[in-house]
Every structure is written in C-alpha cells, then in structure tokens.
Amino acid sequence: MTEANSEAIQSPIYQAIADRIDQIRSSIPETVRLVAVSKYTTAEAICAAYVAGVRDFGESRVQDAKIKQEELADLTDITWHMIGSLQSNKAKQAIAQFDWIHSLDRLSLAEQCDRLIGELKKSPKLLLQVKLAEDPSKSGWTEAELFADLPNLAKLSNLDIVGLMTILPLGLSDEQAYAVFCRVEKLAAKLRSLGWHRIQELSMGMSADYAIAARAGASMIRVGNQIFKL
Ligand SMILES: *Cc1c(COP(=O)(O)O)cnc(C)c1O
C-alpha cells in the first residue's frame, strides 16, 4: 500500500465516500463506467475515491483540474475526463491534460480541436454533446443541427469521436428523463447506421438520474454530489 493510500484510509471522509460509491455501483450494471465528478472537491477526497476503486474523475475547468492533477501525479492510472463547457482559448490545455473530453459542443470547437490534435500529437477520446430536450441554459447540438454539421465533422480526421454526451434540463419527471435518454441512445444508433460506427459510448446521468440513465443504455455516468456530498 502506498503512502497516499494509507493516508486516504485514515482520512475521516474515506468511509463515507467508499460507502456511497458502493451504493452507486450496486444500483447500476457492472459494465457502466462511473466517472466521479470531482470539480468541487479536493485532492484528498479524490484520493479517498481512488482508494475505494474509482479510476475515472471528471472536472469542468481546465485550470482547477491542473492543480489537482499535479497534486495527484503519483496516481498514474487515473483517467481524467473534461466534462465542462470548453472555451476556445482553453482547448489546447484541455487536449494536453485530459484523456476524454465529453463536452465537444460546436463545429468551430471541433475544427479547432482537429488542428490542435494534429499539432500536439495527443488525441483524447471525444464525445459530441447533444441537447435533445429544450434547454436554453445548456449548450450542445440539437438533432437537426448535428445532422447539418455531420458532413463537416466527417472531414476532421484527427478527431477520435467515440460517443455522445448529454445533460438534462432541470425539473423533468423520471419518465421524461428516461424518454430523453432513450432518444440519445436512438440517435447514437442512427449515427452508427450512417457509418459512424465508433459512436458506442453514451455519457449520461448525474446524481439525480444516473440509475434512469443506466436503464436507458448509458455506458458512463457522471456523479459528483452523490459521492462527495458537497
Ligand atoms: C457537475 C456535473 C456533473 C455532476 O453533477 P452532480 O449532480 O453533482 O452529480 C455531471 N455532469 C456535468 C456536465 C457536470 O457539470
């Protein structure tokens, strides 16, 4: 056991975090990847979740993530996920720092990432952020917008696009949430049938609705508050 691990187990927050992770895991299929969203928490809490078995962590700001990534540099098998909306001027850093980017949400950003990935020789896995329920406060492609942009996206040969991501609007019932998640799953199937065979991943579901998302076919859930109780 490393020094980091034994310190984490002695930390008063360890048991609570480990219990919540167990509870989440027991309510979703084993094949669903749990991304622990650590954007509002500390390196200490991340370490506790790591010791409890989590290897995927989600951050929403490039700069905040960098500090934690440096603090946790010894934990070399962590997979870092960028889940927050990405300003153009942060794209280069995001590509350098993250293994996955879930929030590719517009053609101009995709074009920029394509150029940067060519230069940086680093190619994170990318998810297209889609918005299949009306939500003025969220970014992402509607289905119609995505189909309009597909021919241009197809030209960006440096991009490793492997799936879709969605964030639901607040205030949906469980039934409505399930219906929207199912539409995302259907959209992925439609894209595969059009030749986008690599669109296999579905990043959907947060603390409030991860179990519903898993039922609708999520391959990854992004859970923050329910693990870290912020
Ligand atoms: C913050 C955030 C989450 C986690 O939300 P919780 O409600 O804390 O589980 C998931 N996805 C995105 C894109 C987020 O910004």
Side-chain angles (χ1 to χ4, degrees):
M1 176 155 299
T2 69
E3 201 178 314
N5 287 1
S6 55
E7 262 175 42
I9 285 174
Q10 285 158 22
S11 145
I13 58 176
Y14 172 74
Q15 198 53 52
I17 288 176
D19 288 348
R20 291 184 213 119
I21 289 168
D22 282 349
Q23 192 218 329
I24 293 165
R25 284 209 187 287
S26 67
S27 61
I28 55 170
E30 253 175 64
T31 50
V32 175
R33 192 196 281 232
L34 170 61
V35 178
V37 175
S38 49
K39 63 187 178 194
Y40 296 134
T41 195
T42 58
E44 185 195 12
I46 293 175
C47 210
Y50 178 92
V51 173
V54 175
R55 292 294 179 271
D56 293 274
F57 291 91
E59 288 282 332
S60 61
R61 299 180 60 159
V62 174
Q63 209 52 45
D64 296 348
K66 190 175 181 64
I67 297 166
K68 296 177 207 175
Q69 287 169 336
E70 282 170 1
E71 278 183 82
L72 297 166
D74 289 350
L75 307 180
T76 53
D77 58 347
I78 288 183
T79 298
W80 291 100
H81 300 255
M82 173 64 187
I83 62 169
S85 65
L86 191 52
Q87 292 169 274
S88 306
N89 62 357
K90 299 282 166 58
K92 188 171 183 174
Q93 264 180 288
I95 291 165
Q97 277 172 237
F98 288 90
D99 305 295
W100 289 69
I101 297 175
H102 293 226
S103 42
L104 196 63
D105 61 1
R106 57 195 188 276
L107 182 61
S108 61
L109 180 63
E111 289 171 339
Q112 190 190 7
C113 286
D114 186 64
R115 283 192 299 275
L116 290 167
I117 288 167
E119 291 167 20
L120 293 173
K121 306 275 179 273
K122 176 143 189 308
S123 186
K125 290 190 163 59
L126 302 171
L127 305 178
L128 302 175
Q129 183 173 343
V130 297
K131 186 170 71 167
L132 302 189
E134 191 63 36
D135 187 351
S137 72
K138 292 286 179 318
S139 60
W141 277 279
T142 65
E143 186 161 349
E145 288 164 352
L146 183 59
F147 280 105
D149 282 342
L150 273 184
N152 286 319
L153 285 169
K155 292 177 197 155
L156 306 177
S157 58
N158 292 326
L159 300 187
D160 189 13
I161 298 171
V162 297
L164 303 179
M165 179 273 228
T166 206
I167 307 172
L168 293 191
L170 295 175
L172 299 187
S173 68
D174 288 0
E175 290 73 22
Q176 288 169 326
Y178 181 70
V180 178
F181 288 141
C182 287
R183 287 172 61 193
V184 177
E185 202 274 328
K186 284 211 179 68
L187 175 58
K190 195 163 164 186
L191 291 167
R192 286 194 296 274
S193 76
L194 292 170
W196 291 75
H197 304 294
R198 289 175 54 73
I199 303 271
Q200 301 282 345
E201 301 283 345
L202 294 177
S203 165
M204 49 191 204
M206 315 189 349
S207 289
D209 51 21
Y210 64 82
I212 300 169
R215 240 184 336 112
S219 63
M220 343 175 68
I221 57 172
R222 310 177 307 268
V223 181
N225 200 35
Q226 192 59 34
I227 295 173
F228 297 112
K229 289 289 179 198
L230 308 160

